[in-house]
Each structure stands twice: as C-alpha cells, then as structure tokens.
C-alpha cells in the first residue's frame, strides 16, 4: 500500500512525466482541445503503459541488451494495436476522436522511457505500480491543460462524448476564443501550465531551504 | 501527376497544413532540438530524408500486409521499418558526415520515436495514395517540419539572453514562441487550391 502511495506521489508530483520531465508533447498538445478526449487519451496510454511495463519487466532477463529498444517497441506496438482494436469495437466515438493519435501512442516517449528507465530494472509488481502512477500523472496533466483550453476555447466544461456517453456539459460563457482550442492555443496553454509548475517547484524548494536555515 | 498537382501537394504539406504547426506531429524534436539553428537544420534534413524513405518502404510494407490479409499488423510493421531506417541513416551519417553526426548526438536515434515519421506513413495509408504521391507527401511534410524547426530555432537564439520571469525560462518561453509562430501559420490554414 505504501508502495502504491509512493508511486502515485512520484507519478503525479515529483516525477510527473509532462510537468517535470517534459516528455510526450504531441498527445499533450493534440488531444487536449476537450476534456473528454484528454481523459480518453490518458486512459488509453495508461493501459498501454501498465501492460508494457509488466511485459518488459517479465522479459527483462531474456531480452539481450543490444536489441532491447527494438524489443520494447515491439511490445509497446502490440499493446497499442490491442487497445486500438478494442476501442474501434467498443467505443467507436473515442476511436474517431483520437484518430491518428491512437496508433501514435507507440512513439509516446513516456512509455518507452518508463520501459527503459524503470521496468527493465525492477520486478513485475513494482513496474505495474510505476506504470499506473505514471499513467495517472500523465492523465492528470492532460486534464489540467484540457480544462483551460476547453473553458477558453469552447466556453464549456465536461462537454463531448465520454467513452461513448454523450454529455451536454456546463456552458460557462457563450462567446469563446476559438483560437485557444486550435494549435496556437495548445502551445500557449501548455507553456503557461509548465511555467506555473516551474514557479510552484522553485517556490517550494525555496521554502524548504528557509525552513532548514531557520532550524539551524 | 501534373506539375500543378505537385505544387498543390507541396503548398499544402509545407505551409497550409504544416505537420508541426497545424497538426501537432513531431512536437518532441521540434521543442527539444531547436536550441541552435545549425543543429535544427541538421535535424530537419535528417527527418526529411527519413520521412521520404519511410513513405517509400511503408508503401511496400502495406502492399505486403494487404496481400497476406494482415492489416492489423500495420503499426508494428511500420515502426520496425522506421527503426531500421533510422539505424541505417545513423550509420551513414557516422561514416560520411561525422560533424553532423556529433552535433545531432542523442537526438538521432530519437527520430524513431518522432511521431511525424510514423504519422506520415499512417496518413499515406489512410489517404490511399499511390507510390509516387506517398513519397512526395513524405518529403514535403519533412520539408514542412524542417521549416518549422529552423524558424523556432531562429527565434530561440534571439530570445535566449532576454530577460523574462524566472519561472518562464526554458520550455515555457519556447512554447510561447512556438504559439506565436503557429498563430502566423494559422492565418494560411484552410486555403484550398
């Protein structure tokens, strides 16, 4: 249990894949124009991340060192194909909304990065926990960016199709700035969110230093 | 294909529907390798080359998959083809252009995980384009990426020493610059020739 909590803390705060490590920019920018697609992307990537972490960890003593990256990519591509087919069959609306970015989960640096940096060195349970917490951290950051973009770009919150269930959402205002849900808004919002994360990080580091200086 | 059609394809892929600036494909190297114009230039060149070659080889790969009725293996086959190609380009550069090889460093193997390359391969299949059209689209999209990354590198070189809030240094500032470039390009989006 404490392992899980530690993992979650790492995934969401100290080693958040997007806000701290700045990996996986493409899906972060492309699927965050609405909260529904952001969560869909987050969940799909989390499933792939957990499965690939488990498999890479199981195979870590069999895969030769020289071809490990290629082997990891094949493992990841297999799970992406499975998730893609499952979504196509059961949640076609999400499949259409994610479009090209669903097969492109294969080249999401976060998944390959975790396979290389964590799953290839740790046991199966730890790797599964790491996959889950990194996935939650990824989904959480997507959701932050998507909330800002949907609010400013569409004037709504929670609108769209959530895993096949249509939702009207809350209309906050009626004349939104469409640019925020297009490409420039994506870059701008992510820049702002990363800037805020950096600000909070330096502030908490400074506070810690002051506390240590006080206690001496 | 007539000359006019080729021109339309080039205009669409490079400017109106630029891969990075209007489709969010290839953002990782776009943000990661754009510190200096020189490296950005090399990266753009290498990516363009790989994208054109990848379009060529994945076209034949797709034909093979259709023949043996195994289209569901598309993602796996494509990523393997791209990984092999990147390995080849890496060996070629190491032998022939060692200076560029050194300056690209870690980012060279990362072309494998550049979503623009896999993206163009999948888009070619979705659009059901022929061999010649696929390769041209791959090359032009690569040029689009090249243009975007060199533009961003040019901006970043100039704002590198400027004053800005401490928390905005690095990635946030780069992303804001990218937003302004994308804003300029979005004025041209939607043009149909």
């Amino acid at each position: 249990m404490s392992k899980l909590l530690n993992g979650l803390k790492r995934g969401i705060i100290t080693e958040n894949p997007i806000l701290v490590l700045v990996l996986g920019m493409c899906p972060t920018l492309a699927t965050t124009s609405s909260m529904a697609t952001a969560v869909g992307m987050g969940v799909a990537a989390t499933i792939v991340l957990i499965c690939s972490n488990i498999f890479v960890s199981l195979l870590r003593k069999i895969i030769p060192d020289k071809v490990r990256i290629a082997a990891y990519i094949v493992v990841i591509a297999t799970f992406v194909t499975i998730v893609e087919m499952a979504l196509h069959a059961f949640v076609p609306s999400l499949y259409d909304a994610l479009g090209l970015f669903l097969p492109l989960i294969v080249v999401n640096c976060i998944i390959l990065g975790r396979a290389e940096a964590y799953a290839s060195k740790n046991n199966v349970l730890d790797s599964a926990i790491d996959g889950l917490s990194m996935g939650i951290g990824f989904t959480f950051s997507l959701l932050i960016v998507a909330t800002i973009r949907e609010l400013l770009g569409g004037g709504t919150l929670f609108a769209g199709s959530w895993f096949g269930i249509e939702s009207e959402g809350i209309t906050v205002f009626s004349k939104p700035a469409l640019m925020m849900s297009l490409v420039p808004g994506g870059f701008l919002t992510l820049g702002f969110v990363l800037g805020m994360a950096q600000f909070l990080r330096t502030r908490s580091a400074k506070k810690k230093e002051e506390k240590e200086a006080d206690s001496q | 294909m007539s000359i006019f059609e080729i021109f339309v394809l080039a205009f669409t892929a490079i400017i109106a529907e630029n891969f990075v600036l209007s489709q969010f494909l290839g953002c990782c190297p776009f943000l990661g390798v754009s510190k200096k114009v020189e490296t950005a230039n090399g990266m753009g060149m290498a990516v363009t080359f790989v994208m054109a070659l990848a379009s060529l080889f994945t076209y034949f790969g797709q034909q093979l998959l259709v023949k043996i009725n195994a289209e569901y293996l598309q993602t796996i086959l494509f990523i393997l083809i791209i990984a092999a190609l990147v390995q080849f380009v890496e060996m070629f550069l190491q032998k022939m252009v060692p200076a560029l090889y050194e300056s690209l460093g870690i980012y060279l193997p990362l072309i494998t995980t550049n979503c623009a390359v896999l993206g163009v391969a999948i888009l070619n299949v979705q659009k059901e384009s022929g061999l010649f059209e696929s390769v041209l689209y791959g090359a032009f999209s690569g040029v689009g990426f090249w243009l975007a990354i060199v533009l961003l590198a040019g901006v970043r070189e100039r704002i590198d020493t400027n004053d800005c809030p401490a928390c905005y240094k690095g990635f946030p500032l780069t992303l804001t610059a990218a937003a302004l470039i994308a804003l300029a390009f979005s004025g041209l989006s939607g043009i149909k020739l």
Side-chain angles (χ1 to χ4, degrees):
Chain A
M1 212 42 216
S2 68
K3 254 185 192 170
L4 184 64
L5 283 179
N6 260 333
L8 283 178
K9 194 184 160 206
R10 257 185 330 132
I12 298 174
I13 301 169
T14 50
E15 283 178 39
N16 187 304
I18 291 176
L19 303 178
V20 181
L21 306 178
V22 203
L23 290 171
M25 290 291 106
C26 298
T28 318
L29 291 160
T31 58
T32 50
S33 53
S34 84
M35 291 164 82
T37 49
V39 171
M41 181 63 179
V43 170
T46 307
I47 294 171
V48 175
L49 193 52
I50 296 172
C51 295
S52 75
N53 258 9
I54 291 176
F55 253 74
V56 167
S57 173
L58 279 173
L59 297 172
R60 68 184 187 277
K61 290 191 181 118
I62 306 169
I63 297 174
D65 211 35
K66 271 194 178 159
V67 293
R68 64 180 197 287
I69 300 288
Y72 299 160
I73 288 183
V74 174
V75 170
I76 296 167
T78 310
F79 286 112
V80 170
T81 310
I82 294 171
V83 168
E84 199 186 339
M85 289 164 104
L87 281 186
H88 199 173
F90 298 116
V91 202
S93 62
L94 184 59
Y95 178 83
D96 290 337
L98 294 178
L100 182 60
F101 286 90
L102 198 52
L104 287 183
I105 296 178
V106 179
V107 287
N108 188 329
C109 328
I110 298 170
I111 299 173
L112 190 64
R114 288 331 281 179
E116 164 80 5
Y118 197 92
S120 61
K121 296 184 189 93
N122 289 284
N123 67 33
V124 178
L125 184 66
D126 285 355
S127 304
I129 290 175
D130 181 71
L132 178 70
S133 34
M134 284 296 157
I136 290 176
F138 177 62
T139 314
F140 173 70
S141 341
L142 285 188
L143 199 56
I144 295 179
V145 180
T147 311
I148 301 176
R149 282 182 72 191
E150 192 181 327
L151 185 64
L152 297 178
T156 55
L157 285 174
F158 305 104
S161 146
W162 293 75
F163 301 100
I165 302 158
E166 288 297 326
S167 144
E168 283 269 303
I170 309 161
T171 308
V172 183
F173 47 87
S174 58
K175 278 190 183 159
L178 186 64
M179 200 40 90
M180 288 308 280
S181 58
L182 299 178
V183 182
F187 283 120
L188 202 61
T189 315
L190 186 62
F192 172 73
V193 170
L194 285 181
M196 279 311 279
Q198 212 155 301
F199 172 71
L200 292 176
R201 228 175 19 250
T202 43
R203 202 180 61 169
S204 73
K206 222 180 250 168
K207 261 192 189 155
K208 215 182 232 172
E209 259 174 35
E210 273 169 16
K211 227 179 226 173
E212 271 165 21
D214 279 348
S215 63
Q216 272 169 5
Chain B
M1 274 175 104
S2 67
I3 296 288
F4 182 68
E5 277 174 319
I6 294 176
F7 172 76
V8 170
L9 193 68
F11 181 80
T12 322
I14 298 173
I15 296 183
E17 282 172 26
N18 187 296
F19 252 43
V20 184
L21 297 172
S22 67
Q23 300 189 46
F24 288 132
L25 289 167
C27 289
C28 290
F30 174 65
L31 299 169
V33 202
S34 51
K35 266 215 174 100
K36 285 215 167 69
V37 173
E38 215 183 326
T39 9
N41 208 1
M43 185 69 181
M45 217 178 331
V47 168
T48 308
F49 185 61
V50 173
M51 275 171 87
L53 275 185
S55 302
L56 177 72
F57 283 101
T58 51
Y59 178 80
F60 290 116
Q62 181 66 17
Q63 298 293 322
L64 180 76
L65 287 182
V66 171
K67 200 163 264 175
I68 60 171
N69 211 358
E71 281 109 324
Y72 58 88
L73 289 177
Q74 194 194 54
T75 315
I76 301 180
L77 181 71
F78 282 10
I79 194 74
L80 282 178
I81 292 177
I82 292 166
L85 267 176
V86 171
Q87 193 76 46
F88 166 76
V89 170
E90 199 180 339
M91 287 182 333
F92 176 81
L93 282 183
Q94 197 176 9
K95 272 262 158 63
M96 310 304 277
V97 203
L100 183 60
Y101 176 79
E102 299 266 303
S103 67
L104 287 179
I106 173 137
Y107 290 104
L108 202 51
L110 284 185
I111 297 180
T112 312
T113 54
N114 182 341
C115 40
V117 183
L118 185 59
V120 83
I122 296 172
L123 278 178
N124 275 332
V125 173
Q126 278 179 4
K127 297 204 309 189
E128 293 172 2
S129 28
L131 177 61
F132 187 57
E133 202 187 335
S134 298
V135 176
L136 272 185
Y137 186 61
F140 287 142
S141 308
V143 174
F145 174 84
W146 193 353
L147 175 71
I149 196 171
V150 169
L151 280 179
L152 183 66
V155 175
R156 278 184 78 176
E157 269 189 0
R158 283 172 176 250
I159 58 176
D160 209 25
T161 49
N162 284 14
D163 260 350
C164 80
C167 65
Y168 242 68
K169 280 235 159 73
F171 261 106
L173 196 61
T174 310
L175 280 160
T176 313
L180 292 177
I181 297 175
L183 197 61
F185 269 73
S186 73
L188 292 162
S189 67
I191 295 180
K192 291 252 159 29
L193 284 176

